[in-house]
């Protein structure tokens, strides 16, 4: 039997509309089938809960009914049903397996064991589970039974807080409210801040800092219940208190904790942290369930320089822990801070940069490796930052991809390419296809294709001259949707290329489904072709990629060829098109047209 302890709750005075069910209707209720007379009122306006089965004092047997807010002209109350007025109640709520047979005696037995183990304390009020409750409610949902069992309000200080009755709150209580976590009884973040402001008051000269949380803590709450989750929080607190390398600690909020650590060599600190997290990696309710953590660690030197801003650094490092099924300890670096600051700045500056025409398109030619003639080019974005000098693409492309601005950059490249095509056509120059990047996060834009075509058609450019290029190494969130969008793009007359082939985890499974025209072999394969005869394996891989592309009807293009031996090897292996420094580095549009058009 599995019991999930959910929460404590309050219900005001209300009206219970009910029927006296037959034995058959009670059996059906536990199977999730409601009596027909109650079905119309499920999810009705003014209902406090879904229809349930109730054990009410004064009733000979259980009843099935639904609770409504009283005296509300907007509510359509049930007719032809019995009704009773219910007083306000406090309840303890649990979930229990559907397979268990529910009886009143069984419920009382379960809550007797809960009462012995859990005092239902809350921040400002205490509840106790009644031995003989006036009301018990059973609700069947999601293949489980939710049971509400009446409690008694023992101690209520909420009125003193709500009514600003300062004189009614003693100093000890106020200290607890201000500096102690009500769940674990441990210090909270307000308390730990004092250590960061004045560590000398505790004789601490220097320290390191860490901020961590429990990965997938929501799962603990939803699957094992709040009580089990809270117990694990207390288990973490006990481990922090007993750890010999921790000066001070706090539960900050929810499943987040902070610790002030003795300074040690970084490897030793990481080892201590690993041991600490291993000691709290098992859930008492289910030893087979592994608990993982995400920790941001700030070494002593950084912590001392940051002072009371050290929590920001810890939380920043913590945010880099993306893997689910492992505990991660990420050390804070200045680069993290600089990247975040820079990313936030250019996010706000990008519109100004666009208005100032700071983004420039360069073209890198593609050559027919057998005929040694131009076949087209790839358009690449360059940022002449404040028109004072060019930034490396790595200084802005990843940031724009992260915040979604990359779509604006893609459109700038497409527009400038189309402007060039329109001019070349007017001047009678030869027109070769140009590939432009299409960021994957744009695949969910329902107006994507119409927006792209609006730009291309504005300049009267033939669709077949535009080759949209996708990065194979990027993640696939919804491959079916992506493939459908690509098919629509191709049906609109455009070409499609897959960039960086061989660097992604799902390349081969997608090749037969994706509507591609060109497969680009990643530079990492091409680099190895220039080495000595020890690269036979790389030659075999490239050879098979080329043959695979040909058999599937794709043009095979190798990117990043910088030396003649690479070009000769690729030509011998059957590669058709090459793009790389051997032929040309990326160059401005004006230089491209002078050299090749």
């Amino acid at each position: 039997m599995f019991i999930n302890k959910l929460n404590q709750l309050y219900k005001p005075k209300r009206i219970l509309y009910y029927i006296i069910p037959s034995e058959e209707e009670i059996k059906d209720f536990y199977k999730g089938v409601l009596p027909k007379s109650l079905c119309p009122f499920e999810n009705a306006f003014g209902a406090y809960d879904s229809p349930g089965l109730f054990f009410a004092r004064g009733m000979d047997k259980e009843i099935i009914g639904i609770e409504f807010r009283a005296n509300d002209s907007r509510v359509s109350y049930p007719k032809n049903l019995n009704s009773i007025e219910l007083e306000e109640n406090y309840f303890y709520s649990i979930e229990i397996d559907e397979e268990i047979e529910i009886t009143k005696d069984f419920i009382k037995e379960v809550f007797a064991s809960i009462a012995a183990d859990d005092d239902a304390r809350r921040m400002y009020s205490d509840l106790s589970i009644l031995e003989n409750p006036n009301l018990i409610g059973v609700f069947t949902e999601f293949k489980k039974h939710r049971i509400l069992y009446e409690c008694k309000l023992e101690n209520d200080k909420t009125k003193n807080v709500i009514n600003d009755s300062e004189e009614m709150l003693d100093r000890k209580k106020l200290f607890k409210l201000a500096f102690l976590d009500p769940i674990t009884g441990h210090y909270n973040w307000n308390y730990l801040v004092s250590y960061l402001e004045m560590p000398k008051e505790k004789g601490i000269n220097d320290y390191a800092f860490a901020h961590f949380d429990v990965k997938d803590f929501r799962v603990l709450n939803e699957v094992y219940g709040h009580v089990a989750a809270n117990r694990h929080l207390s288990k973490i607190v006990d481990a922090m208190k007993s750890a010999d390398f921790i000066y001070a600690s706090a539960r900050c909020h929810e499943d987040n904790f902070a610790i002030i650590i003795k300074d040690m060599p970084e490897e030793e600190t990481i080892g201590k942290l690993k041991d600490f997290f291993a000691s709290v990696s098992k859930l008492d309710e289910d030893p087979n369930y592994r608990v993982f953590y995400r920790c941001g660690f700030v070494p002593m030197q950084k912590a001392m320089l940051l002072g009371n801003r050290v929590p920001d650094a810890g939380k920043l490092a913590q945010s880099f822990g993306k893997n689910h099924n492992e505990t991660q300890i990420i050390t804070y670096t200045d680069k993290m801070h600089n990247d975040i600051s820079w990313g936030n700045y250019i996010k706000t500056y990008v519109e100004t940069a666009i208005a100032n025409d700071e983004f420039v398109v360069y073209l890198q030619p593609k050559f027919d490796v057998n005929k040694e003639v131009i076949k087209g080019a790839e358009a690449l974005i360059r940022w002449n930052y404040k028109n004072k000098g060019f930034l490396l693409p790595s200084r802005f492309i990843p940031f724009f991809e992260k915040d979604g601005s990359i779509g604006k950059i893609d459109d700038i490249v497409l527009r400038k390419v189309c402007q060039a095509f329109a001019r070349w056509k007017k001047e009678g120059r030869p027109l070769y296809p140009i590939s432009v990047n299409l960021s994957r996060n744009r695949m969910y834009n329902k107006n994507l294709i119409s927006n792209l075509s609006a730009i291309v058609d504005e300049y009267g450019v033939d669709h077949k001259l535009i080759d949209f290029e996708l990065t194979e190494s990027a993640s696939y969130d919804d491959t079916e949707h992506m493939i459908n969008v690509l098919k629509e793009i191709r049906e609109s007359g455009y070409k499609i290329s897959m960039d960086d082939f061989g660097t992604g985890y799902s390349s081969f499974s997608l090749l037969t489904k994706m509507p591609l025209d060109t497969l680009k072999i990643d530079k990492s394969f091409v680099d190895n072709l220039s080495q000595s005869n020890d690269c036979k394996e790389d030659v075999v891989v490239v050879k098979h990629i080329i043959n695979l592309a040909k058999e599937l009807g794709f043009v095979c293009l190798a990117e990043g060829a910088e030396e003649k031996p690479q070009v000769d090897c690729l030509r011998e292996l059957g590669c058709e098109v090459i793009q790389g420094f051997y032929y040309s580095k990326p160059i401005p549009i004006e230089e491209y047209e002078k050299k090749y058009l």
Side-chain angles (χ1 to χ4, degrees):
M1 179 178 69
F2 179 74
I3 297 175
N4 182 0
K5 300 172 185 177
L6 297 176
N7 57 330
Q8 299 100 43
L9 56 99
Y10 165 76
K11 285 187 177 182
K13 288 185 177 182
R14 58 210 185 278
I15 301 174
L16 173 60
Y17 290 88
Y18 69 92
I19 66 166
I20 299 175
S22 65
E23 291 299 323
E24 195 64 31
E25 286 175 318
I26 292 174
K27 289 179 181 178
D28 286 343
F29 172 81
Y30 285 122
K31 294 176 183 177
V33 180
L34 291 175
K36 290 183 179 179
S37 56
L38 288 172
C39 288
F41 305 104
E42 193 173 12
N43 300 317
F45 173 73
Y48 279 114
D49 209 330
S50 55
L53 183 144
F54 296 88
F55 299 94
R57 181 169 289 183
M59 294 285 181
D60 294 333
K61 58 173 293 185
E62 58 263 57
I63 58 177
I64 298 178
I66 184 167
E67 301 165 307
F68 275 92
R69 180 168 56 240
N71 302 318
D72 190 329
S73 60
R74 300 167 298 169
V75 175
S76 297
Y77 293 104
K79 297 177 181 178
N80 303 320
L81 293 179
N82 301 309
S83 66
I84 53 173
E85 292 186 3
L86 298 177
E87 295 298 316
E88 66 177 10
N89 303 94
Y90 297 88
F91 292 98
Y92 195 116
S93 172
I94 67 169
E95 267 183 356
I96 203 160
D97 301 77
E98 182 187 32
E99 291 78 11
I100 302 299
E101 183 180 354
I102 305 295
T103 65
K104 187 175 181 180
D105 289 340
F106 169 78
I107 293 173
K108 292 185 72 172
E109 185 181 325
V110 167
F111 278 91
S113 65
I114 291 175
D117 188 44
D118 183 5
D119 58 9
R121 291 186 179 276
R122 306 192 293 181
M123 184 174 290
Y124 302 110
S125 57
D126 298 335
L127 302 176
S128 63
I129 294 171
L130 288 173
E131 186 175 346
N132 294 301
N134 293 305
L135 190 68
I136 300 171
V138 181
F139 305 86
T140 299
E141 49 191 39
F142 303 114
K143 296 186 177 182
K144 290 185 179 181
H145 299 305
R146 176 168 53 92
I147 302 174
L148 301 187
Y149 194 93
E150 190 180 8
C151 294
K152 179 184 177 182
L153 179 62
E154 297 285 1
N155 186 13
D156 181 15
K157 290 187 173 66
T158 57
K159 55 189 175 185
N160 298 330
V161 177
I162 292 171
N163 297 321
D164 298 328
S165 303
E166 297 177 20
E167 69 280 359
M168 300 300 294
L169 292 166
D170 58 61
R171 294 176 65 182
K172 185 176 181 181
K173 182 66 176 179
L174 288 172
F175 182 89
K176 286 183 177 181
L177 291 175
F179 301 116
L180 296 183
D181 165 42
I183 299 296
T184 64
H186 191 49
Y187 294 116
N188 63 18
W189 176 247
N190 293 335
Y191 180 86
L192 200 67
V193 167
S194 63
Y195 275 79
L196 298 176
E197 290 185 2
M198 289 291 175
K200 69 173 187 175
E201 296 296 339
K202 277 290 185 179
I204 300 173
N205 294 319
D206 47 48
Y207 57 86
F209 179 86
H211 196 280
F212 66 90
D213 67 352
V214 182
K215 289 185 177 181
D216 295 322
F217 186 69
R218 177 181 55 82
V219 174
L220 295 187
N221 271 314
E222 294 183 359
V223 176
Y224 296 95
H226 292 290
V227 172
N230 289 345
R231 276 192 183 136
H232 195 75
L233 297 178
S234 296
K235 185 176 181 178
I236 294 170
V237 164
D238 291 341
M240 292 192 301
K241 288 179 178 178
S242 61
D244 60 0
F245 68 102
I246 296 177
Y247 282 128
S249 60
R251 180 194 177 210
C252 305
H253 61 90
E254 297 178 348
D255 59 313
N256 281 262
F257 297 84
I259 49 179
I260 296 174
I261 306 172
K262 295 178 182 178
D263 184 40
M264 296 169 277
E266 187 170 326
E267 286 187 10
E268 185 179 350
T269 305
I270 298 297
K272 291 267 190 183
L273 286 170
K274 285 181 178 179
D275 291 341
F276 169 79
F277 291 124
S279 72
V280 286
S281 65
K282 290 184 179 179
L283 191 66
D284 291 342
E285 279 73 10
D286 183 359
N288 293 318
Y289 182 86
R290 290 293 304 279
V291 182
F292 298 107
Y293 298 85
R294 183 176 59 151
C295 176
F297 166 63
V298 186
M300 184 274 290
Q301 186 182 64
K302 302 299 180 188
M304 297 298 293
L305 293 174
L306 287 162
N308 65 346
R309 294 298 305 275
V310 71
D312 296 336
K315 286 184 276 190
L316 174 58
Q318 179 185 349
S319 70
F320 283 81
K322 304 296 185 183
N323 299 341
H324 286 284
N325 295 322
E326 64 174 317
T327 289
Q328 292 176 277
I329 301 168
I330 304 100
T331 301
Y332 171 82
T333 64
D334 287 336
K335 183 179 183 300
M336 290 179 184
H337 171 74
N338 294 338
D339 283 350
I340 291 292
S341 299
W342 169 249
N344 289 335
Y345 170 71
I346 63 173
K347 181 179 179 179
T348 60
Y349 180 71
V350 65
E351 296 294 345
T352 302
I354 292 172
N356 293 340
D357 198 25
E358 295 179 17
F359 293 102
V360 180
V361 170
Y362 275 43
L363 298 177
Q364 185 170 30
K366 302 173 184 178
F367 276 83
D368 183 318
V369 70
N370 294 308
K371 299 180 181 178
E372 298 284 330
V373 295
I374 190 83
K375 289 285 289 184
E378 178 182 2
L380 301 166
I381 192 70
R382 297 291 184 264
W383 189 355
N384 188 3
Y385 179 62
K386 296 188 177 181
N387 293 308
K388 293 180 180 179
F390 286 91
L391 296 176
L392 291 171
S394 61
R395 286 294 290 157
F396 61 94
I397 294 294
F399 299 98
F400 289 153
E401 287 177 338
K402 187 175 182 179
D403 68 28
S405 301
I406 193 66
K408 298 175 183 177
I409 306 304
D410 287 349
D411 285 349
I412 289 172
V413 174
L414 180 60
R415 184 172 294 278
K416 293 198 176 222
V417 165
C418 289
Q419 288 172 346
F421 270 131
R423 180 163 51 81
W424 295 335
K425 182 179 179 181
K426 186 177 180 180
E427 294 171 356
R429 298 180 188 268
L431 304 178
Y432 301 107
I434 294 179
S435 59
V436 296
N437 285 318
L438 183 62
S439 301
R440 288 188 182 259
N441 60 9
R442 302 185 72 189
M443 289 292 173
Y444 297 97
N445 181 350
K446 63 182 180 180
N447 299 317
L448 173 64
I449 297 170
S450 59
N451 290 344
L452 296 174
S453 291
I455 296 173
V456 177
D457 295 342
E458 179 183 347
Y459 296 95
V461 177
D462 191 334
H463 288 198
K464 68 183 180 183
L465 290 172
I466 303 296
D467 185 345
F468 288 110
E469 196 165 291
L470 290 95
T471 303
E472 196 278 333
S473 56
S475 61
Y476 296 88
D477 292 327
D478 186 343
T479 55
E480 184 177 352
H481 174 77
M482 179 196 67
I483 290 168
N484 289 334
V485 173
L486 293 181
K487 286 179 179 177
E488 289 184 47
I489 291 174
R490 202 157 183 250
E491 287 167 2
S492 298
Y494 301 104
K495 302 290 186 183
I496 298 176
S497 296
M498 178 186 279
D499 196 10
D500 301 337
F501 180 76
T503 60
Y505 61 87
S506 53
S507 313
F508 292 101
S509 64
L510 286 175
L511 276 185
T512 58
K513 301 176 183 177
M514 294 182 72
L516 300 177
D517 295 283
T518 301
L519 197 66
K520 296 183 72 173
I521 302 175
D522 185 66
K523 184 180 184 299
S524 59
F525 292 103
V526 176
D527 288 343
N528 294 334
L529 298 182
S530 64
Q531 296 173 0
S532 64
N533 292 331
D534 297 332
C535 62
K536 291 180 181 178
E537 293 85 356
D538 298 301
V539 172
V540 170
V541 171
V542 173
K543 177 182 178 181
H544 282 288
I545 292 175
I546 293 171
N547 290 338
L548 178 64
K550 286 184 174 182
E551 289 185 23
L552 291 173
F554 307 148
V555 172
C556 192
L557 182 152
E559 56 184 341
E562 299 179 358
E563 303 169 359
K564 189 175 186 300
Q566 293 173 325
V567 174
D568 292 339
C569 181
L570 287 165
R571 182 189 296 112
E572 184 178 335
L573 293 174
C575 184
E576 301 153 281
V577 183
I578 288 181
Q579 171 187 343
F581 277 29
Y582 175 77
Y583 286 107
S584 173
K585 65 181 181 180
I587 54 179
I589 289 177
E590 295 75 14
E591 185 178 342
Y592 173 82
E593 67 182 48
K594 287 179 183 178
K595 280 188 174 183
Y596 303 110
L597 306 185

